[in-house]
Amino acid sequence: MGSHGLRQASVPDAEVAAALVDRRVVVLSAVSVCLALVATATAQLLTGLIGLVTNLAFYGRLSTAFVSPAGHGLGARVLLIPSAGALLVGLMARFGSPAIRGHGIPEAMERVLFAQSRIPPRMTVLKPLSAAISIGTGGPFGAEGPIIATGGALGSLVGQVLTVTADERKTLLAAGAVAGMAATFGTPVSAVLLAIELLLFEYRPRSVIPVALASATASAARLALVGGAPVFTMPDLAQPSGAALASYIVLGAIVGVAAVLVTRALYRLEDGFERLPVHWMWWPALGGLAVGAAGYVAPRTLGVGYDNIDDILAGTLVGRAALVFCAFKLFSWIVALASGTSGGTLAPLFTLGGGLGSVLGGLAVAVAPSLGIDVRIAALVGMAAMFAGASRALLASVVFAFEATRQPIGLLPLLGGCTAAFLVSSLLMKNSIMTEKIARRGARVPSEYRPDFLDQVLVADCATRELVTLRFDQTIDSVRAWLGAGGPGTRHTGFPVLDAAGTLIGVVTRTDLFDAARAGDQLVTAAIKRAPVVISEQSTVRGAADRMLVEGVGRLVVVKPEDPTRVVGIITRSDLLGAHRRRLDEASRTDALLSLRKMPSVSRMPGIQRLWSKKPPEPPAPSTRP
């Protein structure tokens, strides 16, 4: 049968290839658990480092206690401290790594999407150090953003040291990131949801299991280190009435508009800094002046400000005081972040949203007390809705607010308010606060996670069943003559070759046949150049497409899963494209029906009856056997 060393290729086990989990997932989970412990320790270290810088800068003492800068007694000297810290960050970015600038999460997203989840190892040191300096000297950011970025950098570093695939490295990056968030807030479920919505861009057991275990491990470690109290304390809430629930949804929509305005203001300020006639290294120092000015007038705007969120949710920071505070916090935060310093978005967005929700709730109580609005629930909804509208992480926002306060009564208002904010934001803004920077660089960020259509269709459903085959004892000249005659089946480009028992021994193409040396008695088996590439009829079309790509072929012979030598069909690249025909047809029919509903009289137009009765497309006509 020729001297090309023909061997029967094994059937690609599509079920194993697409298995939910395998032993590598177990190994990856074990690595993620260890990574979570390291990330938790790193989070505690960063928190202590922020406390050290804060105590040195504002109180002149050596202590790692996590304190607020608001109680300083520096007077006008406070104007210079944030600028000095930001200048150090600018120098670190200029001579260390420009990647330390910005929110943290968008940079991690960019590495996931366009750099195979590879983050430079030096980021594991530079990011937390720059964040500690920035926040410790009064920067109006939360510690969670830099901790998430640092955890992601640790996961990426582990993924670069170990022999893993790009997908597995992405999982490790996400595991490190969620461990950082869970170690900061003790919110394991929302951390996993945040990873799914902003980092993984998928929902697969192979990635979710290691990430979830990392989040649970970090939360357990936090529990052992700092206790299990919720990060934000709220008094027990009363069940809201139907009118109050409707009001919280409206409040969420208003906060969604505010989230859009905040995002646009942030990026317009970034554009303004881009036009400054000075090197970007100096921009953080300029932004630090704004932070110092705001801190001089409103000291509570300095630093992390978790205590501010606590006061807003507890109902002790309300009314005009909350409004003035939020105005200065917004000014301080967006100017500092737009200047390119090292900071985050989560805590500032929670603070602004909570303050706005509290103010709107207070107004509603004053105007319509019969609605039964609770200002504390309004603040909780506003806090989560601001983040949902700005980041588009809907589920993470809802669950975070619940986990951070442990108030189950707030779940229903949170779901309604965050969904309203998400809807308004999606209508008014193309990109989120996390993706706008990436989109401006000409890249597209996935915003919808849908199952792969090809992964839902079996090869058996779209393969050609009527084969045009060649016998092993046919000569090349006879086959050439048959092809030249142009009869039925001669227009195909590939032909399975069977032996006397009907068993597959190879595949030849038209090119193989016409490139073969001319010899009257040479058999077609001499034109076979490689072992046949086959696929089970129970495999998915996605598996078929992947196998074509890996093997570098344009067709696969379809076989029975229990007998890889029994040929039942063939699938080509054209068949793969044809598999989409049903989806496109259904989408077209749905669009047409929606259009018709807008025009009631259109059903009397010519040809419409044919549209209504249109049947699904017939499968391609079978090939004719020679």
Side-chain angles (χ1 to χ4, degrees), residues 298-602:
R300 298 187 68 152
T301 61
L302 294 170
V304 172
Y306 292 148
D307 55 333
N308 298 323
I309 301 176
D310 232 8
D311 291 342
I312 290 172
L313 294 178
T316 58
L317 181 58
V318 296
R320 181 178 298 177
L323 184 62
V324 171
F325 163 72
C326 287
F328 280 101
K329 184 73 173 183
L330 174 63
F331 167 75
S332 174
W333 172 62
I334 63 172
V335 173
L337 194 59
S339 70
T341 192
S342 179
T345 58
L346 273 73
L349 287 174
F350 293 150
T351 303
L352 295 174
L356 180 58
S358 174
V359 171
L360 293 174
L363 288 175
V365 169
V367 173
S370 60
L371 293 175
I373 293 177
D374 188 327
V375 174
R376 297 166 301 179
I377 297 181
L380 182 66
V381 171
M383 177 185 80
M386 178 66 79
F387 187 69
S391 70
R392 307 273 174 80
L394 171 62
L395 297 179
S397 301
V398 174
V399 178
F400 172 85
F402 164 67
E403 288 187 299
T405 60
R406 314 276 174 83
Q407 290 292 329
I409 295 298
L411 270 174
L412 189 55
L414 282 168
L415 182 60
C418 289
T419 303
F422 184 86
L423 171 63
V424 170
S425 172
S426 299
L427 289 172
L428 300 181
M429 187 169 59
K430 182 178 180 181
N431 300 302
S432 72
I433 198 170
M434 304 296 181
T435 61
E436 175 67 23
K437 183 180 294 185
I438 302 174
R440 289 184 173 200
R441 296 171 183 168
R444 182 180 180 276
V445 181
S447 58
E448 297 180 351
Y449 313 133
R450 294 178 291 180
D452 187 346
F453 181 77
L454 295 182
D455 210 27
Q456 303 174 61
V457 182
L458 295 180
V459 168
D461 296 331
C462 60
T464 300
R465 293 293 182 170
E466 292 297 328
L467 289 174
V468 180
T469 62
L470 301 177
R471 298 188 311 274
F472 77 101
D473 55 355
Q474 289 180 278
T475 63
I476 292 177
D477 280 352
S478 66
V479 175
R480 285 174 174 172
W482 169 67
L483 292 173
T490 58
R491 305 183 74 175
H492 293 291
T493 58
F495 306 93
V497 181
L498 308 180
D499 64 11
T503 299
L504 176 69
I505 58 176
V507 177
V508 294
T509 66
R510 296 175 65 95
T511 303
D512 294 334
L513 292 167
F514 284 101
D515 285 349
R518 178 173 291 276
D521 58 351
Q522 193 173 31
L523 300 180
V524 293
T525 53
I528 299 175
K529 295 182 177 180
R530 59 180 298 173
V533 184
V534 299
I535 193 164
S536 165
E537 63 179 349
Q538 294 303 311
S539 300
T540 65
V541 177
R542 165 54 58 200
D546 292 345
R547 187 147 181 84
M548 286 184 189
L549 181 62
V550 170
E551 298 289 348
V553 296
R555 66 202 57 78
L556 299 172
V557 178
V558 182
V559 297
K560 285 290 185 182
E562 65 274 9
D563 184 2
T565 63
R566 183 181 173 189
V567 180
V568 295
I570 194 166
I571 185 169
T572 66
R573 284 176 293 201
S574 297
D575 294 325
L576 298 183
L577 295 176
H580 280 290
R581 190 177 304 163
R582 182 176 64 194
R583 177 182 63 84
L584 295 176
D585 182 72
E586 290 173 355
S588 299
R589 186 181 298 109
T590 301
D591 291 343
L593 291 175
L594 291 175
S595 300
L596 291 175
R597 289 173 184 172
K598 296 178 182 179
M599 300 183 296
S601 62
V602 77

